[in-house]
């Protein structure tokens, strides 16, 4: 989302040596950045099941059974149905190419679940439980904070102040008069650096518990502002 703010600058009259003339305004464009570090309080885990078979019904049946088993196992460790939803479901015909000919191999069924975990210490347990009970793919693990919007507003405020300070410094160096209210402000896109992002197409069962370190989230805001100054 981009937010643009415009302000119509005034034109001042200046009297010098008995003559009356209008000063010509000049434009100064600067960028501003605001950054905040926050502790995440939510984990988003995407894992699921990939099955293949020559018969679509069999591939779907195997997939449905595995997904059902995963959901039951997650319920058993305290993950409610409201915390689990289908993130992606696809059925893809599979082909082999032999001597330049396309030969049908079967169907690939993928069902990915999106799981929201409020207790970050349980993120590794959720992954392990899913894998132990039928999940054979883990797509990604990301973290976020519930008050992300409030933190972004703080970062946006810091970005505006940063832009003003830059404009003020430049004006002072040029020895010109700066109009402190910008004539335009353009908001950049929200940037949020995720501390953990795991991408994989297959996940192998292991006796070792999966360690998940949430780290911190960096929320960043960027703006571009234009100021008027007079020499």
């Amino acid at each position: 989302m981009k937010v643009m703010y415009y302000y119509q600058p005034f034109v001042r009259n200046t009297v010098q040596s008995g003559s009356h003339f209008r000063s010509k305004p000049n434009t100064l464009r600067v960028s501003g950045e605001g950054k905040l570090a926050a502790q995440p309080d939510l984990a988003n885990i995407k894992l699921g099941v990939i099955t293949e078979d020559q018969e679509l019904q069999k591939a779907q049946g195997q997939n449905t059974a595995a997904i059902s088993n995963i959901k039951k196992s997650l319920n058993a460790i305290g993950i409610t149905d409201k915390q689990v939803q289908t993130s992606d479901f696809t059925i893809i015909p599979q082909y082999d190419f032999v001597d330049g000919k396309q030969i049908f191999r079967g169907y690939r069924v993928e069902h990915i679940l999106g799981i929201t975990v409020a207790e970050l210490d349980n993120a590794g347990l959720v992954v392990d439980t899913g894998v132990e009970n039928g999940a054979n793919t883990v797509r990604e693990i990301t973290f976020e904070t519930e008050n992300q919007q409030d933190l972004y507003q703080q970062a946006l405020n810091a970005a505006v102040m940063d832009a003003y300070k830059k404009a003020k410094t430049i004006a002072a160096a040029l020895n010109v008069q700066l109009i402190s209210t910008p004539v335009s402000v353009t908001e950049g896109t929200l940037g949020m650096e995720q501390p953990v992002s795991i991408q994989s197409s297959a996940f192998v069962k292991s006796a070792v518990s999966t360690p998940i370190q949430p780290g911190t989230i960096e929320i960043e805001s960027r703006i571009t502002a234009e100021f008027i100054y007079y020499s």
Side-chain angles (χ1 to χ4, degrees):
M1 179 184 72
K2 284 191 174 182
V3 177
M4 299 191 69
Y5 163 81
Y6 293 97
Y7 167 77
Q8 184 64 38
F10 69 88
V11 178
R12 68 173 185 173
N13 292 326
T14 302
V15 178
Q16 183 176 359
S17 303
S19 63
H20 181 78
F21 69 91
R22 178 171 293 176
S23 298
K24 182 180 179 181
N26 300 281
T27 302
L28 173 64
R29 177 181 294 179
V30 294
S31 62
E33 294 185 359
K35 294 182 180 180
L36 288 177
Q39 291 293 328
D41 47 31
L42 289 175
N44 297 304
I45 301 170
K46 290 185 179 180
L47 56 78
V49 179
I50 299 174
T51 54
E52 293 187 11
D53 198 281
Q54 284 190 329
E55 296 183 20
L56 178 58
Q57 187 174 3
K58 288 184 178 180
Q60 285 183 294
Q62 295 168 7
N63 199 291
T64 299
I67 288 293
S68 177
N69 193 47
I70 291 171
K71 288 181 177 179
K72 289 179 181 178
S73 67
L74 292 176
N75 290 156
I77 62 171
I79 302 299
T80 67
D81 290 338
K82 291 183 178 180
Q83 294 174 263
V84 182
Q85 63 180 5
T86 295
S87 173
D88 187 31
F89 181 83
T90 58
I91 297 175
I92 308 172
Q94 301 293 296
Y95 296 91
D96 290 326
F97 289 88
V98 180
D99 296 330
K101 294 182 179 180
Q102 182 175 281
I103 300 175
F104 177 70
R105 188 176 77 231
Y107 293 94
R108 177 187 177 100
V109 179
E110 298 183 12
H111 192 162
I112 306 300
L113 299 175
I115 307 163
T116 301
V117 182
E119 298 79 13
L120 297 186
D121 291 340
N122 290 338
L125 176 62
V126 168
V127 173
D128 291 340
T129 300
V131 172
E132 290 170 1
N133 290 274
N136 58 8
T137 180
V138 176
R139 290 296 168 83
E140 65 178 3
I141 302 175
T142 58
F143 294 87
E144 63 183 53
T145 175
E146 284 187 315
N147 62 338
Q148 180 179 325
Q149 287 300 319
D150 292 337
L151 292 173
Y152 177 67
Q153 295 300 323
Q154 295 178 36
L156 187 60
N157 182 71
V160 173
M161 294 304 299
D162 181 48
Y164 172 68
K165 289 178 180 178
K166 288 179 180 178
K168 188 176 179 181
T169 299
I170 294 173
L174 296 175
N175 194 26
V176 296
Q177 180 185 359
L178 180 74
I179 304 303
S180 60
T181 302
V183 293
S184 73
V185 176
T186 304
E187 179 189 12
T189 56
L190 168 64
M192 187 176 72
E193 182 179 335
Q194 292 285 351
V196 175
S197 181
I198 298 177
Q199 302 280 348
S200 66
S201 58
F203 200 88
V204 181
K205 294 183 180 180
S206 172
V208 180
S209 178
T210 303
I212 304 296
Q213 301 296 330
T216 59
I217 295 175
E218 187 174 85
I219 297 175
E220 181 178 357
S221 173
R222 296 180 180 178
I223 69 160
T224 300
E226 290 188 356
F227 294 84
I228 294 295
Y229 70 90
Y230 295 88
S231 56

